[in-house]
């Protein structure tokens, strides 16, 4: 009797162990991807290039500085090239479906050296900043794009900035494509203070009145871009971006007395596209 019970228990334990060893569900063999994430394998089109940009020497400046601008983008080979505005940060779409795209974004903010410009005398230097965050853009139709970027600064400022933009994209005509639309920018207090506040020591050294900058609306404006596709590999472009400083940025004595609330940027560039295969 005891032997029969022992055998029955042993059989039950063996059956339970076998059942436990069977997975409740099966994952696809690696590597696998979620439906909305692009696989890294396959053919990709890489675009590289260089341009030049004439922009205010520093935020709020009335003088211009000419500097080089690198161009880089990557997309799945065979897909249409996505629209990109000169205002956009460096981004990579991780989530894509329909007309929606989202992913990480970054932007570099140049350092501000007080010794380089007479208007900054006595205000001290501001280190360069790297802004890291995320973006989302949506094409309700193929000729209209809306986009938002939210980034957190590291280095010259430690605040949060948000850029909003919308662009109408005219149909291509003999290789030419024209686009443009409105722009709007927000920033918290920590993102504007290094560039627009003036403390007591800086006021004494610069001759400007003290000023405590606060966050809020930072600028509003518009931009336009003209592109010409020479052939499937080569493209040239030019653009202009205008913004009107708002809030504390416009009220800062640095801008009112030594700079300008009107900020204009002109740019041009050329790029080359080629395909690579990831195995």
């Amino acid at each position: 009797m005891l032997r029969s019970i022992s055998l029955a228990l042993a059989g039950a334990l063996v059956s339970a162990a076998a059942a436990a060893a069977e997975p409740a569900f099966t994952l696809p063999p690696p590597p696998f991807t979620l439906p909305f994430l692009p696989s890294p394998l396959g053919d990709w089109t890489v675009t590289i290039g260089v341009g030049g940009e004439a922009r205010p020497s520093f935020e709020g400046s009335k003088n211009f500085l000419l500097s080089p601008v690198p161009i880089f983008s990557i997309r799945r080979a065979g897909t249409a090239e996505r629209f990109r505005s000169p205002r956009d940060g460096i981004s990579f779409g991780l989530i894509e479906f329909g007309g929606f795209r989202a992913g990480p974004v970054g932007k570099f903010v140049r350092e501000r050296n007080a010794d380089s410009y007479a208007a900054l005398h006595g205000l001290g230097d501001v280190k360069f900043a790297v802004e890291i965050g995320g973006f989302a853009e949506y094409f309700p139709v193929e000729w209209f794009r809306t986009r938002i970027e939210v980034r957190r600064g590291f280095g010259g400022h430690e605040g949060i900035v948000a850029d909003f933009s919308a662009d109408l994209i005219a149909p291509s005509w003999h290789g030419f494509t024209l686009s443009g639309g409105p722009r709007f920018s927000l920033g918290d207090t920590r993102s504007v203070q290094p560039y627009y506040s003036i403390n007591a020591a800086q006021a004494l050294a610069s001759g400007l009145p003290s000023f405590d900058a606060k966050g809020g609306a930072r600028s509003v404006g518009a931009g336009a871009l003209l592109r010409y596709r020479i052939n499937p590999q080569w493209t040239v472009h030019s653009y202009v971006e205008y913004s009107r400083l708002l809030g504390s940025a416009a009220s800062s004595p640095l801008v009112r007395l030594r700079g300008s609330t009107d900020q204009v940027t002109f740019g041009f560039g050329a790029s080359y596209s080629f395909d690579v295969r990831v195995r």
Side-chain angles (χ1 to χ4, degrees), residues 190-270:
R190 297 181 70 188
S191 72
V192 299
Q193 279 191 338
Y195 306 99
Y196 297 106
S197 286
I198 302 173
N199 59 35
Q202 292 172 337
L204 185 62
S206 66
L208 294 171
S210 298
F211 182 74
D212 187 19
K214 301 295 184 182
R218 193 164 179 170
S219 67
V220 64
L225 167 69
L226 179 64
R227 297 182 58 194
Y228 176 62
R229 183 173 293 280
I230 302 172
N231 54 45
Q233 286 76 43
W234 285 99
T235 302
V236 293
H237 68 270
S238 62
Y239 59 89
V240 59
E241 292 278 333
Y242 167 78
S243 62
R244 176 83 174 183
L245 297 181
L246 302 173
S248 287
S251 301
S252 173
L254 173 62
V255 176
R256 288 190 297 104
L257 302 177
R258 298 182 182 177
S260 174
T261 56
D262 297 312
Q263 304 285 282
V264 183
T265 299
F266 303 94
F268 57 90

Side-chain angles (χ1 to χ4, degrees), residues 9-263:
L9 289 173
L13 289 173
V14 170
S15 299
E22 295 179 1
F25 60 93
T26 303
L27 292 173
F32 63 91
T33 59
L34 296 175
F36 50 82
L37 294 179
S39 169
L41 304 180
D43 294 334
W44 295 85
T45 298
V46 178
T47 300
I48 59 173
V50 66
E53 189 174 73
R55 61 185 304 161
S57 303
F58 56 86
E59 288 197 29
S61 174
K62 60 183 177 182
N63 299 316
F64 288 90
L65 173 69
L66 181 63
S67 58
V69 177
I71 299 171
F72 175 81
S73 68
I74 184 171
R75 69 182 189 277
R76 181 69 70 182
T79 61
E81 184 177 2
R82 285 189 174 272
F83 170 79
R84 186 182 187 280
S85 166
R87 184 184 178 92
D88 296 350
I90 300 172
S91 58
F92 183 76
L94 289 180
I95 301 174
E96 300 185 38
F97 56 91
F100 180 80
R101 182 168 172 258
V105 66
K107 184 170 281 190
F108 178 81
V109 182
R110 300 191 315 271
E111 62 184 357
R112 194 183 79 176
N113 294 318
D115 293 338
S116 300
Y117 308 100
L120 298 175
H121 175 73
L123 296 180
D125 298 336
V126 180
K127 297 186 297 183
F128 73 87
V130 177
E131 297 176 347
I132 303 295
F135 82 97
E137 65 181 25
Y138 179 58
F139 286 80
V141 290
E142 63 180 9
W143 47 266
F144 181 66
R145 184 197 76 159
T146 59
R147 180 179 172 104
I148 177 175
E149 295 185 9
V150 180
R151 307 180 303 272
R152 201 269 193 189
F154 298 89
H157 80 84
E158 304 288 332
I160 305 293
V161 297
D163 290 335
F164 304 83
S165 63
D167 288 274
L168 290 170
I169 308 163
S172 295
W173 181 77
H174 294 287
F176 288 94
T177 303
L178 178 65
S179 61
R183 315 283 189 248
F184 182 65
S185 181
L186 297 169
D188 67 5
T189 297
R190 297 181 70 188
S191 72
V192 299
Q193 279 191 338
Y195 306 99
Y196 297 106
S197 286
I198 302 173
N199 59 35
Q202 292 172 337
L204 185 62
S206 66
L208 294 171
S210 298
F211 182 74
D212 187 19
K214 301 295 184 182
R218 193 164 179 170
S219 67
V220 64
L225 167 69
L226 179 64
R227 297 182 58 194
Y228 176 62
R229 183 173 293 280
I230 302 172
N231 54 45
Q233 286 76 43
W234 285 99
T235 302
V236 293
H237 68 270
S238 62
Y239 59 89
V240 59
E241 292 278 333
Y242 167 78
S243 62
R244 176 83 174 183
L245 297 181
L246 302 173
S248 287
S251 301
S252 173
L254 173 62
V255 176
R256 288 190 297 104
L257 302 177
R258 298 182 182 177
S260 174
T261 56
D262 297 312
Q263 304 285 282

